[in-house]
Amino acid sequence: MNPFERDDGESDANGGDGVEPAAITVEDCSLSFGELSVLEDVSVRVEPGEFVGFVGPNGAGKTTLLRAISGALEPDSGTVSIDGVDIHDVSSKRSSQLVSVVPQDTTLSFSFPVRDVVEMGRHPHRSRFSSPTREDHEAVERALERTRTTDLAERPIDAVSGGQRQRVVLARAVAQETPAMLLDEPTASLDINHQLETLELVRELVDEGRTVVAAIHDLDLAARYCDRLVLLADGTVHESGPPSSVLTTETLGEAFDANAVVTPNPVTNSETVTTLPDDGVRRHSSSRTTASPTDRESGSLPLPDRVHVEGTGSAAAGAIARLEASEAAIDVTLGPVSSGDVAAETAQSIGIDAIEVEPFARLSAANRERAERRIHAADVTVLADFVVGAGNQTLLDALEDSALVVVETKPVAERNFAGTAARERYVACRERAVTSSVEGILEAVVEATADESRSRSPPIDSADD
Amino acid sequence: MTYSARTLSWSAGLTALLVAVVVASAALGPVRVDPTTVALSILNAIVVPSSVTSGSATVPVFGVGVPTPSFQYTSIFAFDVPNTHQIIVADIRLPRIALAATVGFALAAAGTVMQGFFRNPLADPSIIGVSTGAAAGAVAAIAFPMLVPFGSLHLSAFAGALLTAFLVYSIATEGGRTPVATLLLAGVAMQALLGAVISYMLVHSGDSLRQAVVWMMGHLSNSTWGDVAFALPVTLVGVLVLGSYTRDLNVLLLGEEDAHHLGTEVERTKFLLLAVASIVTAAGVAVAGVIGFVGLVVPHIMRLIIGPDHRILLPTSALAGASFLVVTDTIARAGPAEVPVGIITAFVGAPFFLFLLVRREVNSV
């Protein structure tokens, strides 16, 4: 359909406010402020009825891209079209019939009643001399109702709370009845309750038939509500796709320069991003095969290439997540671990090689052999809340030559199901190991590696009994 | 109550106030006339064109003499009023009162628009140098009549005002955009420059110095119906145009980017508002000189009373401005010695404004 032929309010047959979602196409957009290049050849396509989140570090160009899409900023090159209309080629009246904007900060220090503010959303649909039509009134009332601001309608806008104000601005955009809607950090200044309320509302609007693009800095919320994420970094599209494919340790590490772990959130069933402090442990060269002896001789820390983790629960999950997220680029393996254990789930979501076994089953010979191979291949083995059972106590024997780190969050007594002998075997392991908390796992692993290499190079008597 | 009902009731009330103020003002002066006589005299003065004849005077159009139409006017009313009173009210006091109302209407309307436009509580109709430009034109016409091609004080002041506004706008515009902050600064700089030019002309104005100074203080004495005929049509048409942009003014209060997203053609609207507000200001200033504070204080007071909605604010401010200037001009001329009205408006307006500031009533647009 030729968008210029569409008359507002005529496609009312499908109920609601009669808006058909429109596609947004950004093609090869470049934009600079003076010398500073903010967007470089950005291409994004948003399908009709999609909720796409722009994520990325501060200064990545999220807001600038939104402003380019809304028509507020004209790109130096490239085009933006909404519903097939080049947004920079039409009047602002026409563009504001296609796309509404919920800005991050709206200057609303004026005592307009809330209803009048929402009515401003009808501005693009009205001619200069006409008084508001019934259609305008209905659109305003619908928008108020939709955003649960009807009760506030008579209140002055400068006398409502921040969360309410956000909903009023959203109501204004809803009253505009545009097929596409842009939101810049709609949750930035809200408390958690209002953040959810706002995004739930946006999600509803999307489901009713709108295309929405939002810049969202909270990655968890973005993952939870958006159909698709576009990860921007340094003015380019770094990654784009469903939240689970965009939010990964690798992409976040590259885009945000941060140590982050992405795990499934069992409550929301979406991705949760956990950022960890910079551990300062870094290989001198980016490839993990080049932790060369020269590095170690020059006084830098001897970093383990491979670490194997055995254990269960949040201790093991935390350990593998931290080791994987570290910039030390360590190969982490896990297991054996019962499938369904939080450690197994975490390993799966962050892509760690794990030996999963049936819960409560005896460790098969094949799996034991696999585990032993990994222990021998690893520079350090971590026992994280290791549960000593009849099935796996023999694994402790395989640890004899390994550098060991022990992480305990529960007393051994609670984790031992294999009798006194097994317990003593475990305690013996613990005595020669570096003990650590979950948080300090990386340092402990490094320390264990250092101990190991020291004890190996000069052939001295082992102090271990 | 919807805004249109509010607009109507407020406008009706303020129109009634204006009528009352006009009648009271026409009654006051060296000769006291009782208000009933005043009202009847005013009604007697209302005329309508009764017939049009092809007059004897001709104007050349492309070299051909075209006769100008000449109107015959007839009074609608013929109340029995003493002749002296009729002359004092209708011929002496009324032109001055009508001009005061017109100029007050123009300045308050333009001030409302400028404050909304600049989102700055300090904005007044002269913020981009219109009044200073008018003063420069007027002083030039007074001090160096031989240099001014028009010969008319009004036209010279009017031209000076519009030329200044146009210059300031052109200087502040770059690449199709006119940032409001640049506009403000360009206005300030232009006012300083023209101030120097005016001072120079005053120094060399010789005998006409007094006339120039009185003009610059703002004056309504010796007003004629001709002055009203010059200012009133421009003011009415201008304010009507501004009135059709009140929703855009509201939207512009949200900021230019929001206004763009709500369908306002920002740069075009800014140009139009600035141009029309400047023309309206220029029409007032050209006939009455620089009358300060009307365009600053009246919009602020009205905003305190009825809120920021320009759909109501513009007509009510304009009507209130008309009443305000009629009252202050009455004070200016009814005292033992007449003073320029600009002194009174500043004398009344500034303390009131300071009072509002101290009460923290005025801190934003």
Side-chain angles (χ1 to χ4, degrees):
Chain A
M1 179 164 53
N2 182 344
F4 285 104
E5 280 173 5
R6 186 152 82 196
D7 206 353
D8 308 301
E10 241 179 42
S11 49
D12 227 348
N14 60 339
D17 43 27
V19 178
E20 292 272 4
I24 301 173
T25 314
V26 179
E27 261 175 90
D28 301 323
C29 262
S30 296
L31 200 153
S32 53
F33 296 131
E35 296 284 292
L36 182 71
S37 168
V38 188
L39 296 177
E40 281 171 46
D41 284 332
V42 171
S43 294
V44 174
R45 182 170 163 85
V46 182
E47 300 300 328
E50 241 189 338
F51 184 3
V52 169
F54 287 173
V55 294
N58 294 339
K62 290 171 290 182
T63 300
T64 307
L65 182 54
L66 279 183
R67 292 173 72 198
I69 294 175
S70 77
L73 288 178
E74 186 138 12
D76 303 332
S77 64
T79 56
V80 175
S81 62
I82 297 177
D83 206 10
V85 179
D86 186 335
I87 212 75
H88 297 284
D89 216 34
V90 294
S91 68
S92 53
K93 190 180 171 93
R94 177 72 188 130
S95 70
S96 56
Q97 288 169 354
L98 287 170
V99 58
S100 51
V101 178
V102 177
Q104 192 171 358
D105 305 298
T106 303
T107 327
L108 282 174
S109 50
F110 314 104
S111 50
F112 280 102
V114 164
R115 180 176 273 113
D116 287 12
V117 173
V118 176
E119 197 196 289
M120 288 181 190
R122 299 303 299 169
H123 191 66
H125 298 283
R126 292 172 57 183
S127 85
R128 183 162 305 288
F129 300 102
S130 72
S131 47
T133 61
R134 213 187 61 190
E135 202 180 304
D136 291 324
H137 283 304
E138 283 169 4
V140 170
E141 295 309 317
R142 250 197 322 268
L144 286 168
E145 211 170 293
R146 206 72 213 67
T147 53
R148 290 179 284 282
T149 45
T150 310
D151 295 345
L152 308 173
E154 312 306 327
R155 299 252 298 273
I157 185 70
D158 54 356
V160 302
S161 74
Q164 292 169 332
R165 175 181 291 218
Q166 188 68 32
R167 294 215 305 272
V168 172
V169 180
L170 201 54
R172 190 183 79 195
V174 172
Q176 215 169 325
E177 296 191 336
T178 53
M181 197 185 266
L182 309 177
L183 302 99
D184 192 5
E185 301 287 3
T187 55
S189 56
L190 304 180
D191 59 37
I192 46 170
N193 185 23
H194 287 116
Q195 286 183 348
L196 292 190
E197 202 176 328
T198 304
L199 286 175
E200 288 285 341
L201 178 59
V202 173
R203 185 71 240 181
E204 280 173 35
L205 293 170
V206 172
D207 294 339
E208 275 168 20
R210 264 187 191 78
T211 309
V212 172
V213 178
I216 302 178
H217 74 275
D218 187 316
L219 298 171
D220 291 5
L221 287 175
R224 192 162 150 194
Y225 287 100
C226 296
D227 299 316
R228 214 150 54 78
L229 296 182
V230 173
L231 175 60
L232 292 165
D234 296 326
T236 58
V237 175
H238 195 88
E239 196 73 51
S240 145
S244 55
S245 76
V246 171
L247 301 183
T248 65
T249 303
E250 283 79 36
T251 55
L252 295 181
E254 285 158 12
F256 286 85
D257 194 20
N259 292 345
V261 190
V262 185
T263 50
N265 184 324
V267 182
T268 60
N269 202 22
S270 63
E271 283 68 31
T272 294
V273 176
T274 313
T275 349
L276 300 166
D278 190 347
D279 45 47
V281 180
R282 205 162 271 128
R283 275 178 204 268
H284 282 235
S285 105
S286 56
S287 164
R288 57 181 58 187
T289 53
T290 53
S292 61
T294 46
D295 276 347
R296 300 180 185 201
E297 279 161 15
S298 67
S300 64
L301 286 163
L303 294 176
D305 290 322
R306 286 187 74 144
V307 172
H308 182 70
V309 178
E310 282 187 39
T312 54
S314 55
I320 57 169
R322 275 158 207 277
L323 289 171
E324 178 70 16
S326 153
E327 292 188 36
I330 300 167
D331 252 338
V332 185
T333 54
L334 173 74
V337 61
S338 301
S339 50
D341 188 283
V342 64
E345 300 264 307
T346 306
Q348 212 167 42
S349 64
I350 61 179
I352 282 177
D353 172 26
I355 306 165
E356 285 195 33
V357 296
E358 289 297 308
F360 311 113
R362 263 193 106 75
L363 189 63
S364 70
N367 276 336
R368 185 169 64 233
E369 206 180 302
R370 279 172 72 196
E372 281 171 6
R373 265 208 307 278
R374 282 180 172 75
I375 290 167
H376 292 308
D379 300 310
V380 179
T381 300
V382 176
L383 297 178
D385 275 352
F386 185 74
V387 173
V388 192
N392 67 2
Q393 57 171 308
T394 51
L395 277 178
L396 292 174
D397 301 335
L399 297 173
E400 258 164 22
D401 299 328
S402 300
L404 274 182
V405 171
V406 164
V407 176
E408 291 186 326
T409 62
K410 293 178 199 140
V412 192
E414 286 178 22
R415 292 183 273 119
N416 182 18
F417 304 97
T420 330
R423 180 204 163 107
E424 272 166 15
R425 218 183 274 171
Y426 174 79
V427 172
C429 284
R430 189 176 62 186
E431 264 163 21
R432 64 181 183 86
V434 177
T435 53
S436 161
S437 62
V438 179
E439 291 75 24
I441 186 72
L442 192 70
E443 271 176 45
V445 166
V446 171
E447 195 186 327
T449 316
D451 287 353
E452 181 72 9
S453 60
R454 232 178 284 131
S455 67
R456 269 187 197 157
S457 35
I460 52 162
D461 289 337
S462 173
D464 296 350
D465 289 334
Chain B
M1 191 155 50
T2 64
Y3 85 90
S4 45
R6 284 185 69 205
T7 312
L8 279 179
S9 53
W10 272 100
S11 300
L14 285 164
T15 308
L17 175 71
L18 180 60
V19 170
V21 163
V22 166
V23 171
S25 173
L28 289 170
V31 179
R32 294 291 294 270
V33 184
D34 75 281
T36 321
T37 315
V38 169
L40 297 179
S41 305
I42 292 173
L43 289 176
N44 281 346
I46 297 173
V47 291
V48 288
S50 56
S51 65
V52 184
T53 54
S54 166
S56 51
T58 58
V59 283
V61 176
F62 299 117
V64 181
V66 175
T68 54
S70 97
F71 295 92
Q72 267 77 52
Y73 295 96
T74 324
S75 298
I76 315 173
F77 303 103
F79 295 108
D80 185 24
V81 174
N83 204 27
T84 33
H85 286 178
Q86 178 71 38
I87 288 168
I88 286 173
V89 169
D91 295 348
I92 298 173
R93 290 183 188 166
L94 212 50
R96 179 173 184 157
I97 293 168
L99 192 66
T102 304
V103 172
F105 192 86
L107 292 179
T112 307
V113 170
M114 291 295 193
Q115 283 171 10
F117 178 95
F118 282 98
R119 270 163 285 147
N120 186 327
L122 276 179
D124 74 354
S126 313
I127 192 145
I128 60 164
V130 179
S131 295
T132 322
V139 172
I142 293 168
F144 309 101
M146 68 300 281
L147 293 181
V148 179
F150 315 107
S152 152
L153 184 59
H154 290 356
L155 280 181
S156 179
F158 193 68
L162 292 189
L163 196 65
T164 309
F166 180 75
L167 264 176
V168 167
Y169 181 83
S170 310
I171 291 167
T173 303
E174 201 196 339
R177 285 178 183 264
T178 317
V180 165
T182 318
L183 206 51
L184 266 172
L185 290 174
V188 169
M190 188 58 85
Q191 289 187 49
L193 179 66
L194 285 174
V197 172
I198 292 169
S199 300
Y200 180 83
M201 289 193 290
L202 287 178
V203 167
H204 296 279
S205 60
D207 295 341
S208 48
L209 176 65
R210 192 189 134 77
Q211 195 197 344
V213 170
V214 168
W215 188 94
M216 286 202 298
M217 285 175 178
H219 61 92
L220 287 161
S221 51
N222 304 324
S223 306
T224 64
W225 285 115
D227 297 332
V228 179
F230 180 88
L232 188 61
V234 179
T235 300
L236 284 183
V237 172
V239 174
L240 273 179
V241 173
L242 293 176
S244 71
Y245 275 84
T246 47
R247 271 197 291 129
D248 296 84
L249 272 167
N250 283 350
V251 168
L252 273 172
L253 280 185
L254 305 177
E256 292 186 9
E257 196 161 321
D258 277 25
H260 170 80
H261 294 145
L262 289 170
T264 291
E265 214 66 64
V266 173
E267 293 304 330
R268 210 176 62 196
T269 305
K270 273 161 65 183
F271 172 77
L272 188 128
L273 288 173
L274 213 55
V276 177
S278 296
I279 289 171
V280 168
T281 308
V285 175
V287 292
V290 184
I291 298 177
F293 273 94
V294 180
L296 178 68
V297 177
V298 173
H300 270 300
I301 295 169
M302 293 315 293
R303 199 175 279 111
L304 279 182
I305 299 172
I306 61 170
D309 191 339
H310 286 96
R311 293 173 300 184
I312 319 178
L313 190 59
L314 183 72
T316 50
S317 278
L319 286 167
S323 293
F324 178 81
L325 201 57
V326 171
V327 170
T328 44
D329 185 53
T330 308
I331 299 171
R333 70 177 166 80
E338 170 151 356
V339 285
V341 67
I343 294 177
I344 305 293
T345 55
F347 208 77
V348 174
F352 189 69
F353 193 62
L354 289 173
F355 167 75
L356 292 178
L357 275 180
V358 171
R359 291 272 311 275
R360 297 286 178 270
E361 300 272 16
V362 176
N363 42 31
S364 65
V365 175

